[in-house]
Amino acid sequence: MLLQSDTQLNQKSYYEATVERDSPAPALQGEVRADVVVVGAGFAGLSAAIELAQRGYQVVVLEADRICSGASGRNGGQAIVGYASGQGLLVQQLGIEGAKQAWNMSVEAIALLDARIAEFDIDCDRVHGYLYVAETERKARALEAEMQAMDRLYGLPTEWATGSDVQRLIQSPRYCAAAYEKKSGHLHPLKYGLGLAKAAQRLGVKIYESSPVVDLRRGAKLTAVTPQGAVTASFGVLAGNCTLGEYGPRVAPEINARIMPVGTYIVGTAPLAPDFCARLIARNAAVCDNNFVLDYFRFSADYRMLYGGRVSYSAQTPARLQERMATRLAAVFPELSGVPIEYVWGGFVDISMNRAPDFGRLGLNLYYLQGFSGHGVALTGFAGQLVAQAVAGQSGRFDVFASLRHRSFPGGSLLRMPSLVLGMLYHRLRDAF
């Protein structure tokens, strides 16, 4: 899931180029009262606002930039069951039954995403089907063991292929094993997010753009302060990964160091022939490898290859980004060598230390949702539902996630980024060798 990005790169986003946004919503002016104030107009914040409004709450959403201008509007568009941490960590912390409950909620998240698309008539190029691939024999054995465990313990059947049979699912010389499943898939994330925003507004939710929260006063009532106004509410939801931003230490210092931005980037090619696309990737599936530093890709509705994979751990956009991404793409699909790249964009994944989602409470009336670690397209929407249930006094399912233990990244504010660079370099070397 992507967050803030280089402005120049974002201007080259395929998603922004293929939607027509409404005129900007006004910035907050003056003092406003509400039942709930939500910080962040992305998938999580908008989903929470929808669920709360449907329960009769008066909701105000504050967005620092534009609706879905961050993670929710420029991610890889892959809606995936499960968690970036894998089930092993959940078993360690929650036990097998708790891990199964968490898994089932990730499956429910996919169903909820589809239900919202249907309920609010959101045209967002939704496709079902997902392909996991491995590029070495060692990684193939790991992928096969994982897929067998997911079927046996969690009821996720997959279609398995190895050797030359892999070409039936994906025509690439890079991969020696593949597993296909039908629950996950992909969509146009910005179309989906803008559809959620319109649904929320129809339900009476007030959305203010260009309204960053610069301070948050806590107590029996919460007051979220913006440069030109303030919202006072009984409950608050931090749903914008706001602890990564300029005002994070002031708004939520307790959790500011528990997530880290990792840059990731996507290129979009010129349109390709539909039959050619169908030959390269069977069933129009989204694809992801099982490296620690992974590549992910799919075809858009207008038959462009959308390929993500280059990462940056230092908050700096890599040099010669388009050239390097084109080289990586050609290594996966040699037939795409020389195909024009028409879009290049990027942003930050918000990862937690253990790559598990980090949901919880600060005091009695302030909730936070962060640490989706690349699995946010479906899980953010479900998180919004969970936090709405918790606000309404039904916190049992929210507390499954709130009970997960998280640690801050080491090194404090000055050294945690260099520490992450070193740690991720280690994993890149493991992937390479």
Side-chain angles (χ1 to χ4, degrees), residues 3 18 34 52 84 122 145 147 161 186 198 206 269 301 318 352 367 424:
L3 294 178
T18 50
L52 288 161
I122 303 174
M147 293 297 102
H186 57 96
K198 290 181 179 180
K206 302 295 184 184
T269 69
S352 62
Y367 296 82
M424 292 302 181

Side-chain angles (χ1 to χ4, degrees), residues 137-154 158 160 177 179 290:
E137 292 298 331
R138 179 181 62 83
K139 291 171 185 173
R141 290 192 296 270
L143 180 61
E144 183 176 22
E146 180 184 7
M147 293 297 102
Q148 288 176 346
M150 296 309 296
D151 189 8
R152 183 178 69 256
L153 297 174
Y154 303 104
T158 56
W160 180 251
N290 67 337

Side-chain angles (χ1 to χ4, degrees), residues 106-173:
S106 83
V107 175
E108 190 177 340
I110 297 289
L112 179 62
L113 180 147
D114 287 326
R116 286 188 177 134
I117 290 172
E119 179 182 1
F120 302 122
D121 193 24
I122 303 174
D123 180 9
C124 59
D125 309 334
R126 180 73 169 104
V127 177
H128 288 269
Y130 203 82
L131 191 62
Y132 307 83
V133 292
E135 54 185 50
T136 68
E137 292 298 331
R138 179 181 62 83
K139 291 171 185 173
R141 290 192 296 270
L143 180 61
E144 183 176 22
E146 180 184 7
M147 293 297 102
Q148 288 176 346
M150 296 309 296
D151 189 8
R152 183 178 69 256
L153 297 174
Y154 303 104
L156 180 70
T158 56
E159 179 182 338
W160 180 251
T162 58
S164 60
D165 191 37
V166 171
Q167 302 302 308
R168 174 174 54 85
L169 296 175
I170 179 169
Q171 292 196 355
S172 168

Side-chain angles (χ1 to χ4, degrees), residues 7-311:
T7 301
Q8 184 177 1
L9 281 179
N10 195 38
Q11 291 173 347
K12 298 179 181 179
S13 162
Y14 165 76
Y15 301 133
E16 289 286 353
T18 50
V19 301
E20 290 189 15
R21 286 183 176 269
D22 293 337
S23 299
L28 178 66
Q29 303 281 343
E31 296 186 1
V32 174
R33 292 190 173 273
D35 296 321
V36 186
V37 58
V38 176
V39 180
F43 293 162
L46 294 171
S47 298
I50 287 169
E51 295 283 340
L52 288 161
Q54 289 176 327
R55 290 171 176 265
Y57 290 91
Q58 184 180 8
V59 184
V60 168
V61 177
L62 300 175
E63 167 57 44
D65 192 351
R66 297 213 63 190
I67 294 167
C68 292
S69 60
S72 299
R74 67 169 81 96
N75 60 73
Q78 300 195 1
I80 317 168
V81 293
Y83 305 92
S85 62
Q87 287 296 112
L89 180 132
L90 301 182
V91 171
Q92 292 173 11
Q93 292 205 21
L94 304 176
I96 186 62
E97 293 305 317
K100 286 182 178 179
Q101 184 181 8
W103 170 263
N104 290 336
M105 285 194 280
S106 83
V107 175
E108 190 177 340
I110 297 289
L112 179 62
L113 180 147
D114 287 326
R116 286 188 177 134
I117 290 172
E119 179 182 1
F120 302 122
D121 193 24
I122 303 174
D123 180 9
C124 59
D125 309 334
R126 180 73 169 104
V127 177
H128 288 269
Y130 203 82
L131 191 62
Y132 307 83
V133 292
E135 54 185 50
T136 68
E137 292 298 331
R138 179 181 62 83
K139 291 171 185 173
R141 290 192 296 270
L143 180 61
E144 183 176 22
E146 180 184 7
M147 293 297 102
Q148 288 176 346
M150 296 309 296
D151 189 8
R152 183 178 69 256
L153 297 174
Y154 303 104
L156 180 70
T158 56
E159 179 182 338
W160 180 251
T162 58
S164 60
D165 191 37
V166 171
Q167 302 302 308
R168 174 174 54 85
L169 296 175
I170 179 169
Q171 292 196 355
S172 168
R174 192 180 187 101
Y175 306 116
C176 61
Y180 174 83
E181 52 99 345
K182 298 179 181 179
K183 290 189 181 297
S184 304
H186 57 96
L187 49 71
H188 189 303
L190 186 53
K191 288 182 180 180
Y192 175 62
L194 295 178
L196 290 179
K198 290 181 179 180
Q201 290 169 322
R202 288 196 298 268
L203 290 167
V205 174
K206 302 295 184 184
I207 301 177
Y208 296 95
E209 295 183 313
S210 302
S211 300
V213 175
V214 299
D215 195 13
L216 185 61
R217 302 167 190 162
R218 303 185 197 177
K221 294 281 189 178
L222 300 168
T223 300
V225 181
T226 70
Q228 296 174 303
V231 179
T232 298
S234 299
F235 297 93
V237 179
L238 303 179
N241 292 303
C242 58
T243 56
L244 289 178
E246 177 184 355
Y247 303 104
R250 193 183 310 171
V251 172
E254 306 96 319
I255 59 173
N256 184 55
R258 295 232 296 257
I259 55 174
M260 178 69 72
V262 174
T264 183
Y265 305 92
I266 305 174
V267 296
T269 69
L272 304 165
D275 58 345
F276 177 65
C277 297
R279 179 170 61 81
L280 286 188
I281 302 177
R283 306 165 200 172
N284 196 19
V287 187
C288 181
D289 65 33
N290 67 337
N291 293 337
F292 188 87
V293 182
L294 52 82
D295 288 353
Y296 52 94
F297 46 91
R298 65 186 182 89
F299 286 114
S300 65
D302 57 352
Y303 305 104
R304 301 172 186 271
M305 169 62 72
L306 305 182
Y307 181 86
R310 181 67 183 173
V311 295

